[in-house]
Amino acid sequence: MSAGDLSSGGTVPTVLPFIKREPSAILLAVQLAGLLLYPFMEGDGVSRALFSAFGIVVLALVVLAVRASPTWTWVGLMLGVPATILLIIQAITNSDDLFPYSAGLEAILYFYATYGLIRYMLADHVITRDELFAVGATFTLVAWGFAYVFVVWQAIEPGSFIAAIDPEAQRSWVELLFLSFTTLSSTGLSDVVPIDPFARSLVMIEQLVGVAYIAVVVSRLVALTIPRAPR
């Protein structure tokens, strides 16, 4: 089989239906890959351009997840398109000046996608494979959303977050994402600490969201997966 046969009749027609059928699985896989790739995308030049390009891919998958959920797709597009344009400008200009603005739009989009995925998971009493992937994808969406909120607040109030290494510096994206994950999962392993009062309020809200997500969403889905004995 030639390369032309693979591209025209095999690979692409197979991948596209899978993406449409399992959008939550693809989104979760890409975000987990991002956790491993982000440390290599921090810096100047090519690294910053790759960071913006990867962000555009994730945004597209988030909009696709919104489209597959019982929410309005046009809201996702209204948030995703301007954020994508800002990421493209960042990649071209090699500057982080617009990052807080794109982060604000992305935070709203991620929380809206979270709402959509939760509605999608709780819409019926049948648990599909994609809904199980949506459990993990929703958790990462919340973590990403709060990390972007931290980025916006750090731009508004510099020095809101300190760390053990170089405490006076602005915290990087990976540091704030690490803080978000450790806060949402209630592990408390982060060496990044909020010292501004409002930053601490944001962290406390994320802690409540993490506890509520486990208590309401995950516990309900676990209960639905347990077979009930017939009466």
Side-chain angles (χ1 to χ4, degrees), residues 33-47:
L35 295 179
L36 301 177
L37 296 176
Y38 278 137
F40 303 99
M41 295 182 185
E42 291 189 325
D44 299 327
V46 177
S47 298

Side-chain angles (χ1 to χ4, degrees), residues 2-228:
S2 64
D5 295 333
L6 286 173
S7 60
S8 60
T11 305
V12 175
T14 302
V15 172
L16 291 180
F18 177 77
I19 294 177
K20 294 180 179 179
R21 187 175 63 253
E22 309 280 357
S24 301
I26 299 298
L27 176 60
L28 177 60
V30 171
Q31 288 187 292
L32 293 179
L35 295 179
L36 301 177
L37 296 176
Y38 278 137
F40 303 99
M41 295 182 185
E42 291 189 325
D44 299 327
V46 177
S47 298
R48 185 177 287 120
L50 290 175
F51 179 87
S52 298
F54 187 83
I56 293 172
V57 172
V58 175
L59 278 176
L61 292 174
V62 172
V63 173
L64 183 62
V66 170
R67 185 176 183 273
S69 67
T71 49
W72 294 315
T73 304
W74 63 268
V75 176
L77 291 174
M78 286 184 61
L79 296 169
V81 171
T84 301
I85 294 174
L86 291 176
L87 288 175
I88 293 174
I89 295 175
Q90 291 178 58
I92 295 175
T93 60
N94 194 25
S95 172
D96 288 334
D97 294 339
L98 296 178
F99 186 41
Y101 299 96
S102 64
L105 292 172
E106 290 178 81
I108 299 173
L109 174 60
Y110 276 49
F111 291 140
Y112 184 70
T114 297
Y115 164 73
L117 286 182
I118 290 177
R119 285 191 58 188
Y120 166 62
M121 290 185 289
L122 304 181
D124 52 42
H125 296 283
V126 178
I127 304 301
T128 64
R129 182 174 62 180
D130 189 63
E131 287 177 342
L132 292 176
F133 283 115
V135 175
T138 303
F139 187 88
T140 57
L141 283 175
V142 177
W144 254 260
F146 273 100
Y148 283 122
V149 171
F150 297 157
V151 169
V152 173
W153 183 248
Q154 181 175 242
I156 296 174
E157 192 67 34
S160 297
F161 304 92
I162 63 172
I165 300 176
D166 198 5
E168 301 300 326
Q170 292 284 83
R171 307 275 58 93
S172 67
W173 162 247
V174 172
E175 287 179 309
L176 294 177
L177 185 61
F178 181 61
L179 171 63
S180 182
F181 264 93
T182 55
T183 301
L184 190 64
S185 60
S186 299
T187 56
L189 298 177
S190 180
D191 61 341
V192 182
V193 180
I195 59 173
D196 175 76
F198 190 74
R200 289 180 173 177
S201 297
L202 294 174
V203 169
M204 287 187 284
I205 290 175
E206 186 175 12
Q207 290 171 337
L208 289 175
V209 171
V211 172
Y213 181 74
I214 298 296
V216 177
V217 178
V218 176
S219 61
R220 182 180 185 275
L221 293 179
V222 170
L224 291 176
T225 58
I226 299 175
R228 298 180 179 180

